């Protein structure tokens, strides 16, 4: 089956879109993708082994979706301008590990970065703030540490921010004033301390706020009544 897949790709030299999601291929990630590819979806295919760097070097790639391949491992390479067209990167529920490279900030067309349920660690680089077109930043259930970068203030188009299930210590930076399109903010299960910053409760479009299992403390800010669209507010096991 692995051989058949490799032969298939060898003949698809002009293919632009390749979507094989949920097809049981159970192969290592191939080395011979068409340079014409703009959309590659190999999610839930049983891909395993080390993710090769060349996958991130396909020049016109706009969407790279490799999620739900739990035996796919490796680290992210140093990114360069060759994939500046990338808009969607989904590596969720894989066994990828290591730190996010500072060069992640060069992916300036990115609007969805989905790394939920992996083994990533280290601090988030301030350069992540260069991804000013992001609408979804989903980094939950990893091993990230260090302060939440203040450069998140650049995410003016962001709708979903999920940093849950990591090891971010507090305090939460008061850097949310520009995130007026944010509808979902999940920070639960982090060792966050200090108060809930006023800029969080100034997010008038927020629908979901989850800060369970943190060490946040003190009263809610006086402008909390500004959360007029809030549907879900989860505060369990905090010191607010």
């Amino acid at each position: 089956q692995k051989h058949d897949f490799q032969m298939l790709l060898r003949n698809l030299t002009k293919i632009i879109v390749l979507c094989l999601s949920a097809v049981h291929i159970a192969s290592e990630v191939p080395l011979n993708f068409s340079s014409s590819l703009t959309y590659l979806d190999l999610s839930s295919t049983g891909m395993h082994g080390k993710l090769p760097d060349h996958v991130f070097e396909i020049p016109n790639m706009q969407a790279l979706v490799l999620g739900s391949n739990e035996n796919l491992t490796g680290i992210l390479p140093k990114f360069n301008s060759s994939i500046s067209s990338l808009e969607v990167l989904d590596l969720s529920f894989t066994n990828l590990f290591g730190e996010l490279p500072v060069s992640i900030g060069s992916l300036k067309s990115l609007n969805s970065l989905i790394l939920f349920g992996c083994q990533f660690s280290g601090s988030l680089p301030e350069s992540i703030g260069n991804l000013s077109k992001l609408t979804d930043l989903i980094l939950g259930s990893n091993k990230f540490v260090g302060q939440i970068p203040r450069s998140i203030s650049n995410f003016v188009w962001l709708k979903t921010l999920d940093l849950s299930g990591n090891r971010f210590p507090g305090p939460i930076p008061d850097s949310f004033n520009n995130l007026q399109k944010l509808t979902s903010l999940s920070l639960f299960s982090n060792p966050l301390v200090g108060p809930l910053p006023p800029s969080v409760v100034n997010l008038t479009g927020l629908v979901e706020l989850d800060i369970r299992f943190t060490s946040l403390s003190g009263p809610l800010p006086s402008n909390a009544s500004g959360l007029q669209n809030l549907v879900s507010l989860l505060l369990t096991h905090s010191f607010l």
Side-chain angles (χ1 to χ4, degrees):
Q1 194 170 24
K2 174 182 176 181
H3 177 72
D4 292 343
F5 183 48
Q6 298 281 1
M7 288 295 295
L8 171 68
L9 290 179
R10 192 168 292 121
N11 294 324
L12 299 177
T13 57
K14 296 182 179 180
I15 195 165
I16 296 174
V17 175
L18 181 61
C19 181
L20 297 173
S21 179
V23 176
H24 186 65
I25 299 171
S27 166
E28 294 184 354
V29 177
L31 299 175
N32 57 336
F33 289 112
S34 165
S35 60
S36 301
L37 269 177
T38 62
Y39 186 101
L40 176 62
D41 185 350
L42 296 176
S43 59
S44 302
T45 55
M47 288 285 159
H48 57 262
K50 183 179 182 297
L51 181 63
D53 291 354
H54 79 90
V55 174
F56 297 99
E57 297 169 358
I58 301 173
N60 299 309
M61 186 69 74
Q62 296 176 14
L64 179 59
V65 182
L66 301 174
S68 298
N69 288 302
E70 61 184 16
N71 293 316
L72 188 62
T73 189
I75 63 174
L76 293 179
K78 181 179 179 180
F79 297 108
N80 56 56
S81 58
S82 66
I83 56 168
S84 59
S85 59
L86 193 65
E87 297 178 5
V88 176
L89 179 58
D90 182 353
L91 303 173
S92 56
F93 297 107
T94 64
N95 201 33
L96 292 171
F97 61 95
E99 298 186 10
L100 291 189
V102 172
S103 57
I104 191 82
S106 66
L107 305 180
K108 294 185 178 180
S109 296
L110 209 60
N111 54 52
S112 292
L113 178 58
I114 307 172
L115 304 178
F116 190 92
C118 300
Q119 299 294 323
F120 290 108
S121 59
S123 300
L124 296 184
E126 282 287 337
S127 63
I128 201 168
N130 294 339
L131 307 180
S132 58
K133 295 183 180 180
L134 279 178
T135 58
D136 300 283
L137 179 58
I138 302 176
L139 305 179
S141 294
N142 280 281
K143 299 176 182 178
F144 289 116
V145 297
Q147 300 296 314
I148 297 172
R150 293 184 177 277
S151 60
I152 63 171
S153 61
N154 297 336
F155 298 151
V156 296
W157 300 104
L158 200 65
K159 295 180 180 179
T160 302
L161 177 58
D162 184 352
L163 302 178
S164 64
N166 282 286
R167 300 171 184 174
F168 293 113
I172 302 172
D174 195 15
S175 304
F176 288 81
N177 279 324
N178 295 337
L179 280 63
Q180 291 303 311
K181 294 189 180 296
L182 199 67
T183 59
S184 177
L185 174 59
S186 181
L187 300 172
F188 87 88
S189 192
N190 279 288
L192 297 165
V193 298
L196 190 65
S199 62
V200 169
V201 291
N202 197 36
L203 298 172
T204 56
L206 204 62
V207 175
E208 300 174 338
L209 175 60
D210 188 349
I211 47 178
R212 294 171 295 160
F213 295 95
T214 66
S215 295
L216 295 173
S217 60
L220 290 175
S222 59
N223 60 332
S225 59
L227 297 172
Q228 296 180 9
N229 289 304
L230 205 63
V231 171
S232 176
L233 175 61
L234 303 175
L235 308 177
T236 310
H237 290 279
S238 69
F239 296 98
L240 291 168

